[in-house]
Amino acid sequence: MDMPDWWQERVVYQIYPRSFQDTDGDGIGDIPGIIRHLGSLKELGVGIVWLSPVYCSPNDDNGYDISDYRSIHPDFGTMDDMDRLLSEAARLDIRIVMDLVINHTSDEHEWFRKSRDPQSPYRNYYIWRPGKDGGLPNNWTSFFAGNCWEFDDRSGEYYLHLFSKKQPDLNYRNPAVLEEVENIMRFWLDKGVSGFRCDVINVLYKSSLEDGKKKLILTGSEHYLSQEGTHEILRRLRRDVLSHYDCFTVGETVFVTPGTGRDLCDKSRGELDMIFSFEHMETDQWIVKWLKHRFHAGKFGKVLARWQNALTWTANYFENHDQPRSVSRFGDDGVFRSESAKMLCLLLLSLRGTPYIFQGQEIGMTNFDFTSMDEIRDMESHNVYRYFRSLHIPKRLCWRSIRTTSRDNARTPVQWNSTPNAGFTTGTPWLGVNKNYIKINMEQQRDDPNSIRSFYRRMITFRAGSETLKYGDFRARKTTNRIFTFERTLGDEKLMVLCSFSRHKQKAAASGRLLLSNYDRRDFNGILAPYEAVILQKEAGI
Ligand code: TEU
């Protein structure tokens, strides 16, 4: 391959600032809280921090509804705090990547307020349409349940919102919108950020507003998923802005196949540097994420392998702020919590691509322990709960679905220590702290050589020193429901990675010099302990 870029060398750590560390007692995490822990992230081996949105926002969707792209929400601090974060991070050689949410703004953004006036030059920044035959402009359905149109009394028309009604979609047929976005990007890049995680980036361009083919989810999506118009926008952003800075982009791409995904991040096309795809995160669901079934490790492995083969570089993740905790989902958050969290760590960091760790994943934080909807803050969960109830689904079943799937599972405050509220805040946390913080917390794991966190550190160091793990070819060997086996090869070196998803011992027909295991052992004898993962070095020629 060509000389690797710095974003291929480093490990990314995602911070969801609201839940990271509060320093002023208002119950909401803040930028000074992030600065406080930068040193410990450095020690963990993190080279890039992705910050979920910290901009001004009415917080209908916790910052993914931006009302001012050039200012910091007072809950998080000030622009001075942000500048300090950038300079502290630079001192530690940690790059900062911001969330770029440009499919939509908040309905409280100045552009949208002005756009409500049909005569305003901002009218065309958004997608306004009159109703059709006494109904909505089309039959599209939203990512957050329900339809995609909201009527505005003031102008007598509807506006499109693929997400919540407080997140109106921008109109990318209007060149002024793209110019605004380019200026926002330059503003942050000039400040010293090193790139963007681009929110739902493959839905920007709507090719038409015709009715969609009726589907169980996202009716209408054939008119906006990965359209040529979006590809053009991405190429233009690179040409006009990104190529002038030392930065990278990772796109969150929804409903992509390996083929459409490749088109969005193939180097020769000059669009994104890498993408987050979702298929492996959908291996425990029926049709929609709210209908979970038992996790099939075999399917998970096969999907991971397919994407590894399809793209030259992937963005690898098992968790983020929208997904339940990986140890509760793909591992075992009971007896084998520690082993399975470490196994998932070894797997994540052995894949080809840039690894992304979500805050708390490195200590094996689990899904929430809430008992009712009153404790849930996520707007999507409430929308969906209401929708399910409107279909007369019994409360018990609705709650079961929310409990396993709600985005709040990932959003409970980071568990720092065993003092009240897990050391997250001295005030009342905006979202409940999981009561298991007494047992599961950062402080208790930091100095324990056998902790999950220590294993993350070890694995990050191991990966940093292994060109084969970073850049070697990937080849799946055997994928069953119990063991996922693959090889990474570079030059003469061949590494064999085995990951057990079983609660029982498993025989594995593999041999080689043991380089790493999540158990304390010196060599590998062909038997994997429960949730054991190993990296073996094959002798040359085998
Ligand atoms: O998410 C987009 C997305 O498609 C989903 O992962 C989403 O979280 C939802 O669960 C669909 O059912 C991105 C952000 O990551 C998410 O937090 C935002 O709410 C969303 O875009 C809108 O900006």
Side-chain angles (χ1 to χ4, degrees):
M1 67 185 273
D2 315 335
M3 272 292 287
D5 286 296
W6 58 265
W7 40 264
Q8 298 181 295
E9 285 282 315
R10 295 175 180 229
V11 170
V12 187
Y13 187 89
Q14 182 193 352
I15 291 185
Y16 194 68
R18 273 187 102 65
S19 304
F20 192 63
Q21 173 72 73
D22 178 25
T23 59
D24 60 5
D26 65 357
I28 298 172
D30 45 43
I31 296 173
I34 300 173
I35 298 174
R36 180 186 295 178
H37 294 290
L38 276 182
S40 123
L41 292 178
K42 180 73 188 174
E43 183 248 6
L44 184 64
V46 168
I48 301 171
V49 164
W50 150 28
L51 279 191
S52 275
V54 287
Y55 317 95
C56 274
S57 159
N59 281 325
D60 179 55
D61 190 14
N62 288 351
Y64 283 88
D65 47 325
I66 300 171
S67 54
D68 182 352
Y69 289 86
R70 291 184 177 81
S71 66
I72 300 294
H73 195 297
D75 284 351
F76 296 127
T78 61
M79 193 55 94
D80 282 348
D81 292 326
M82 188 64 207
D83 290 335
R84 207 153 51 84
L85 171 63
L86 285 165
S87 63
E88 283 292 298
R91 199 175 55 78
L92 294 169
D93 188 28
I94 294 178
R95 306 277 197 136
I96 302 282
V97 166
M98 302 279 279
D99 223 304
L100 187 73
V101 188
I102 54 169
N103 174 64
H104 43 266
T105 68
S106 160
D107 64 340
E108 296 181 33
H109 193 291
E110 195 198 348
W111 301 336
F112 190 76
R113 289 178 200 255
K114 291 186 173 156
S115 159
R116 290 204 138 115
D117 171 1
Q119 306 314 321
S120 161
Y122 287 92
R123 182 70 171 178
N124 209 15
Y125 271 42
Y126 295 87
I127 302 172
W128 291 95
R129 286 293 179 279
K132 209 171 72 187
D133 311 327
L136 302 173
N138 67 27
N139 67 350
W140 295 9
T141 54
S142 145
F143 280 77
F144 287 154
N147 71 65
C148 289
W149 295 96
E150 185 67 13
F151 188 70
D152 182 48
D153 283 332
R154 179 155 169 213
S155 51
E157 283 191 332
Y158 293 86
Y159 63 86
L160 177 77
H161 61 90
L162 290 186
F163 292 86
S164 98
K165 63 179 180 199
K166 285 189 67 64
Q167 294 169 302
D169 281 50
L170 284 163
N171 174 18
Y172 279 91
R173 287 171 174 269
N174 178 358
V177 169
L178 200 58
E179 264 167 50
E180 298 269 13
V181 166
E182 291 192 335
N183 287 332
I184 290 165
M185 291 168 78
R186 288 189 192 103
F187 173 84
W188 287 104
L189 290 163
D190 287 338
K191 267 193 173 295
V193 312
S194 296
F196 300 101
R197 173 268 186 189
C198 309
D199 193 63
V200 288
I201 199 68
N202 65 322
V203 310
L204 295 192
Y205 192 85
K206 282 79 184 172
S207 290
S208 95
L209 291 175
E210 296 291 301
D211 275 347
K213 209 166 123 232
K214 279 226 170 72
K215 284 190 291 219
L216 227 54
I217 44 162
L218 293 187
T219 294
S221 58
E222 67 272 31
H223 297 297
Y224 59 78
L225 284 180
S226 307
Q227 303 293 296
E228 189 44 40
T230 292
H231 289 294
E232 276 166 27
I233 292 170
L234 291 173
R235 286 195 288 269
R236 194 167 139 197
L237 292 180
R238 175 169 298 262
R239 195 193 63 213
D240 294 357
V241 183
L242 298 161
S243 61
H244 302 280
Y245 296 85
D246 179 22
C247 66
F248 81 100
T249 51
V250 49
E252 185 204 30
T253 55
V254 287
F255 297 93
V256 281
T257 60
T260 54
R262 196 185 306 120
D263 286 348
L264 289 157
C265 63
D266 193 290
K267 209 167 182 177
S268 63
R269 293 171 57 101
E271 298 183 16
L272 297 159
D273 290 306
M274 57 181 129
I275 60 165
F276 291 121
S277 61
F278 284 86
E279 203 184 343
H280 64 294
M281 303 300 265
E282 293 163 355
T283 50
D284 61 352
Q285 74 185 36
W286 306 99
I287 310 166
V288 290
K289 68 176 186 176
W290 301 98
L291 299 177
K292 289 262 183 295
H293 58 57
R294 257 188 78 179
F295 170 61
H296 289 283
K299 222 157 128 193
F300 187 67
K302 278 191 184 124
V303 171
L304 285 175
R306 186 177 329 133
W307 282 86
Q308 288 281 294
N309 291 328
L311 307 185
T312 43
W313 197 257
T314 56
N316 300 318
Y317 74 100
F318 294 158
E319 284 188 27
N320 64 32
H321 63 292
D322 293 332
Q323 302 284 339
R325 290 288 183 179
S326 61
V327 70
S328 300
R329 195 173 172 192
F330 309 134
D332 174 349
D333 61 8
V335 193
F336 295 111
R337 189 181 63 86
S338 176
E339 290 78 6
S340 62
K342 291 176 190 167
M343 178 277 287
L344 290 168
C345 161
L346 190 147
L347 170 57
L348 181 70
L349 282 131
S350 299
L351 294 171
R352 188 183 154 91
T354 301
Y356 287 73
I357 301 168
F358 179 64
Q359 63 184 36
Q361 182 177 346
E362 78 276 30
I363 55 167
M365 278 180 61
T366 63
N367 276 352
F368 64 56
D369 55 355
F370 301 151
T371 53
S372 79
M373 282 307 288
D374 301 340
E375 294 172 288
I376 301 279
R377 297 280 166 273
D378 179 26
M379 161 270 293
E380 183 195 38
S381 302
H382 282 283
N383 279 359
V384 167
Y385 187 85
R386 266 195 305 272
Y387 177 68
F388 283 171
R389 290 295 293 145
S390 76
L391 302 177
H392 303 291
I393 298 174
K395 279 189 179 158
R396 189 175 44 83
L397 292 182
C398 298
W399 173 245
R400 190 195 291 172
S401 171
I402 298 289
R403 191 165 48 95
T404 49
T405 306
S406 170
R407 305 192 295 182
D408 277 353
N409 278 304
R411 299 177 180 184
T412 60
V414 170
Q415 298 164 201
W416 293 105
N417 55 44
S418 56
T419 66
N421 292 323
F424 164 68
T425 180
T426 53
T428 308
W430 73 277
L431 179 70
V433 174
N434 194 317
K435 285 187 277 308
N436 63 19
Y437 74 89
I438 306 283
K439 214 176 68 199
I440 305 174
N441 64 64
M442 218 55 95
E443 190 175 276
Q444 171 257 326
Q445 294 202 19
R446 188 154 307 136
D447 302 319
D448 172 3
N450 293 318
S451 69
I452 300 168
R453 187 180 181 282
S454 297
F455 189 75
Y456 263 90
R457 209 178 140 210
R458 201 169 138 209
M459 189 60 211
I460 292 173
T461 310
F462 182 85
R463 181 180 184 278
S466 167
E467 297 300 296
T468 308
L469 270 202
K470 279 185 293 188
Y471 306 118
D473 289 339
F474 172 94
R475 187 162 152 234
R477 284 303 293 258
K478 198 163 173 218
T479 314
T480 69
N481 228 355
R482 301 199 180 96
I483 307 176
F484 179 30
T485 311
F486 57 89
E487 283 169 359
R488 302 295 313 279
T489 321
L490 188 73
D492 282 347
E493 188 177 52
K494 184 184 277 182
L495 300 180
M496 177 95 111
V497 182
L498 288 93
C499 297
S500 168
F501 284 83
S502 168
R503 298 169 59 91
H504 305 283
K505 282 188 189 167
Q506 294 295 332
K507 272 203 188 129
S511 61
R513 190 161 77 87
L514 181 72
L515 298 185
L516 200 81
S517 161
N518 57 342
Y519 277 72
D520 184 19
R521 62 152 88 227
R522 295 202 184 290
D523 44 37
F524 182 64
N525 58 2
I527 309 266
L528 289 168
Y531 288 103
E532 184 169 22
V534 294
I535 302 180
L536 305 175
Q537 188 177 43
K538 304 292 289 176
E539 272 85 64
I542 299 184

Short mmCIF file of all heavy atoms in Angstrom, two decimals, residues 383-404:
data_model
loop_
_atom_site.label_atom_id
_atom_site.label_comp_id
_atom_site.label_asym_id
_atom_site.label_seq_id
_atom_site.Cartn_x
_atom_site.Cartn_y
_atom_site.Cartn_z
N ASN A 383 -40.30 8.60 21.23
CA ASN A 383 -41.11 8.57 19.99
C ASN A 383 -41.53 7.15 19.67
O ASN A 383 -42.68 6.89 19.34
CB ASN A 383 -40.28 9.08 18.80
CG ASN A 383 -40.23 10.57 18.73
OD1 ASN A 383 -40.83 11.26 19.55
ND2 ASN A 383 -39.50 11.09 17.76
N VAL A 384 -40.55 6.26 19.73
CA VAL A 384 -40.81 4.88 19.35
C VAL A 384 -41.78 4.23 20.34
O VAL A 384 -42.70 3.50 19.94
CB VAL A 384 -39.49 4.09 19.24
CG1 VAL A 384 -39.72 2.60 19.17
CG2 VAL A 384 -38.72 4.57 18.02
N TYR A 385 -41.58 4.52 21.62
CA TYR A 385 -42.48 3.96 22.64
C TYR A 385 -43.92 4.42 22.35
O TYR A 385 -44.84 3.62 22.32
CB TYR A 385 -42.06 4.43 24.03
CG TYR A 385 -42.82 3.76 25.16
CD1 TYR A 385 -42.42 2.53 25.66
CD2 TYR A 385 -43.95 4.37 25.72
CE1 TYR A 385 -43.11 1.91 26.69
CE2 TYR A 385 -44.65 3.76 26.74
CZ TYR A 385 -44.22 2.54 27.23
OH TYR A 385 -44.92 1.92 28.25
N ARG A 386 -44.09 5.69 22.08
CA ARG A 386 -45.43 6.22 21.78
C ARG A 386 -46.01 5.55 20.54
O ARG A 386 -47.17 5.16 20.51
CB ARG A 386 -45.34 7.74 21.52
CG ARG A 386 -45.63 8.58 22.76
CD ARG A 386 -45.90 10.03 22.38
NE ARG A 386 -44.82 10.60 21.59
CZ ARG A 386 -43.74 11.19 22.11
NH1 ARG A 386 -43.60 11.29 23.42
NH2 ARG A 386 -42.78 11.68 21.34
N TYR A 387 -45.15 5.38 19.54
CA TYR A 387 -45.60 4.75 18.29
C TYR A 387 -46.06 3.31 18.55
O TYR A 387 -47.13 2.90 18.13
CB TYR A 387 -44.45 4.80 17.28
CG TYR A 387 -44.77 4.13 15.98
CD1 TYR A 387 -45.72 4.66 15.11
CD2 TYR A 387 -44.11 2.95 15.61
CE1 TYR A 387 -46.02 4.03 13.92
CE2 TYR A 387 -44.40 2.32 14.43
CZ TYR A 387 -45.35 2.86 13.58
OH TYR A 387 -45.64 2.22 12.40
N PHE A 388 -45.24 2.55 19.29
CA PHE A 388 -45.60 1.17 19.61
C PHE A 388 -46.93 1.12 20.38
O PHE A 388 -47.78 0.29 20.15
CB PHE A 388 -44.51 0.51 20.48
CG PHE A 388 -43.28 0.09 19.70
CD1 PHE A 388 -42.14 -0.33 20.39
CD2 PHE A 388 -43.26 0.10 18.33
CE1 PHE A 388 -41.00 -0.73 19.70
CE2 PHE A 388 -42.13 -0.30 17.62
CZ PHE A 388 -40.99 -0.71 18.32
N ARG A 389 -47.08 2.05 21.32
CA ARG A 389 -48.32 2.06 22.12
C ARG A 389 -49.51 2.36 21.23
O ARG A 389 -50.59 1.82 21.41
CB ARG A 389 -48.22 3.09 23.26
CG ARG A 389 -47.24 2.70 24.37
CD ARG A 389 -47.68 1.45 25.11
NE ARG A 389 -48.89 1.66 25.87
CZ ARG A 389 -49.83 0.74 26.05
NH1 ARG A 389 -49.70 -0.45 25.53
NH2 ARG A 389 -50.90 1.02 26.76
N SER A 390 -49.28 3.23 20.22
CA SER A 390 -50.39 3.56 19.32
C SER A 390 -50.82 2.33 18.51
O SER A 390 -51.92 2.26 17.99
CB SER A 390 -50.02 4.73 18.40
OG SER A 390 -49.16 4.26 17.38
N LEU A 391 -49.92 1.37 18.40
CA LEU A 391 -50.26 0.12 17.71
C LEU A 391 -50.83 -0.92 18.69
O LEU A 391 -50.98 -2.09 18.34
CB LEU A 391 -49.02 -0.47 17.03
CG LEU A 391 -48.28 0.38 16.00
CD1 LEU A 391 -47.03 -0.34 15.49
CD2 LEU A 391 -49.19 0.72 14.82
N HIS A 392 -51.08 -0.47 19.93
CA HIS A 392 -51.64 -1.31 21.00
C HIS A 392 -50.71 -2.44 21.41
O HIS A 392 -51.15 -3.49 21.87
CB HIS A 392 -53.02 -1.87 20.62
CG HIS A 392 -53.98 -0.78 20.29
ND1 HIS A 392 -54.46 0.09 21.25
CD2 HIS A 392 -54.48 -0.35 19.12
CE1 HIS A 392 -55.24 0.99 20.67
NE2 HIS A 392 -55.26 0.75 19.36
N ILE A 393 -49.43 -2.26 21.23
CA ILE A 393 -48.47 -3.26 21.73
C ILE A 393 -48.42 -3.13 23.25
O ILE A 393 -48.33 -2.01 23.77
CB ILE A 393 -47.07 -3.04 21.10
CG1 ILE A 393 -47.18 -3.21 19.58
CG2 ILE A 393 -46.02 -3.97 21.69
CD1 ILE A 393 -45.93 -2.88 18.81
N PRO A 394 -48.52 -4.26 23.97
CA PRO A 394 -48.55 -4.16 25.44
C PRO A 394 -47.32 -3.45 26.01
O PRO A 394 -46.20 -3.60 25.47
CB PRO A 394 -48.56 -5.63 25.90
CG PRO A 394 -48.93 -6.44 24.71
CD PRO A 394 -48.62 -5.64 23.49
N LYS A 395 -47.55 -2.70 27.10
CA LYS A 395 -46.48 -1.91 27.70
C LYS A 395 -45.24 -2.73 28.00
O LYS A 395 -44.11 -2.29 27.82
CB LYS A 395 -46.97 -1.30 29.02
CG LYS A 395 -47.80 -0.08 28.84
CD LYS A 395 -48.06 0.57 30.18
CE LYS A 395 -48.88 1.83 29.96
NZ LYS A 395 -49.61 2.27 31.11
N ARG A 396 -45.47 -3.96 28.47
CA ARG A 396 -44.36 -4.83 28.86
C ARG A 396 -43.42 -5.09 27.66
O ARG A 396 -42.21 -5.03 27.77
CB ARG A 396 -44.97 -6.15 29.36
CG ARG A 396 -44.05 -7.13 30.02
CD ARG A 396 -44.86 -8.32 30.55
NE ARG A 396 -45.85 -8.80 29.58
CZ ARG A 396 -45.58 -9.65 28.58
NH1 ARG A 396 -44.38 -10.13 28.42
NH2 ARG A 396 -46.53 -10.03 27.73
N LEU A 397 -44.05 -5.34 26.50
CA LEU A 397 -43.23 -5.62 25.31
C LEU A 397 -42.52 -4.36 24.82
O LEU A 397 -41.37 -4.40 24.39
CB LEU A 397 -44.10 -6.20 24.19
CG LEU A 397 -44.65 -7.60 24.44
CD1 LEU A 397 -45.45 -8.08 23.24
CD2 LEU A 397 -43.50 -8.58 24.72
N CYS A 398 -43.24 -3.23 24.92
CA CYS A 398 -42.62 -1.97 24.50
C CYS A 398 -41.38 -1.72 25.35
O CYS A 398 -40.32 -1.37 24.83
CB CYS A 398 -43.56 -0.78 24.68
SG CYS A 398 -45.05 -0.89 23.73
N TRP A 399 -41.53 -1.91 26.64
CA TRP A 399 -40.41 -1.63 27.53
C TRP A 399 -39.25 -2.59 27.26
O TRP A 399 -38.08 -2.19 27.23
CB TRP A 399 -40.84 -1.70 29.00
CG TRP A 399 -39.68 -1.59 29.95
CD1 TRP A 399 -39.22 -2.53 30.81
CD2 TRP A 399 -38.79 -0.46 30.09
NE1 TRP A 399 -38.11 -2.08 31.48
CE2 TRP A 399 -37.82 -0.82 31.06
CE3 TRP A 399 -38.72 0.80 29.49
CZ2 TRP A 399 -36.79 0.05 31.44
CZ3 TRP A 399 -37.69 1.65 29.87
CH2 TRP A 399 -36.75 1.28 30.84
N ARG A 400 -39.59 -3.84 26.96
CA ARG A 400 -38.52 -4.81 26.70
C ARG A 400 -37.68 -4.35 25.50
O ARG A 400 -36.46 -4.42 25.51
CB ARG A 400 -39.11 -6.19 26.44
CG ARG A 400 -38.00 -7.24 26.40
CD ARG A 400 -38.43 -8.53 25.80
NE ARG A 400 -39.39 -9.24 26.63
CZ ARG A 400 -40.03 -10.33 26.24
NH1 ARG A 400 -39.80 -10.83 25.04
NH2 ARG A 400 -40.87 -10.93 27.03
N SER A 401 -38.38 -3.86 24.51
CA SER A 401 -37.68 -3.39 23.32
C SER A 401 -36.81 -2.17 23.63
O SER A 401 -35.64 -2.09 23.24
CB SER A 401 -38.73 -3.07 22.25
OG SER A 401 -38.13 -2.44 21.18
N ILE A 402 -37.37 -1.23 24.38
CA ILE A 402 -36.62 -0.02 24.74
C ILE A 402 -35.40 -0.39 25.58
O ILE A 402 -34.30 0.11 25.40
CB ILE A 402 -37.51 0.97 25.53
CG1 ILE A 402 -38.70 1.42 24.68
CG2 ILE A 402 -36.70 2.15 26.07
CD1 ILE A 402 -38.38 2.35 23.54
N ARG A 403 -35.61 -1.31 26.50
CA ARG A 403 -34.55 -1.68 27.43
C ARG A 403 -33.34 -2.26 26.68
O ARG A 403 -32.20 -1.92 26.99
CB ARG A 403 -35.09 -2.73 28.41
CG ARG A 403 -34.20 -3.02 29.59
CD ARG A 403 -34.97 -3.76 30.67
NE ARG A 403 -35.72 -4.87 30.12
CZ ARG A 403 -35.30 -6.13 30.07
NH1 ARG A 403 -34.14 -6.46 30.54
NH2 ARG A 403 -36.05 -7.07 29.54
N THR A 404 -33.58 -3.08 25.69
CA THR A 404 -32.43 -3.68 25.01
C THR A 404 -31.84 -2.77 23.94
O THR A 404 -30.69 -2.93 23.56
CB THR A 404 -32.82 -5.01 24.31
OG1 THR A 404 -34.01 -4.76 23.56
CG2 THR A 404 -33.05 -6.11 25.29
#
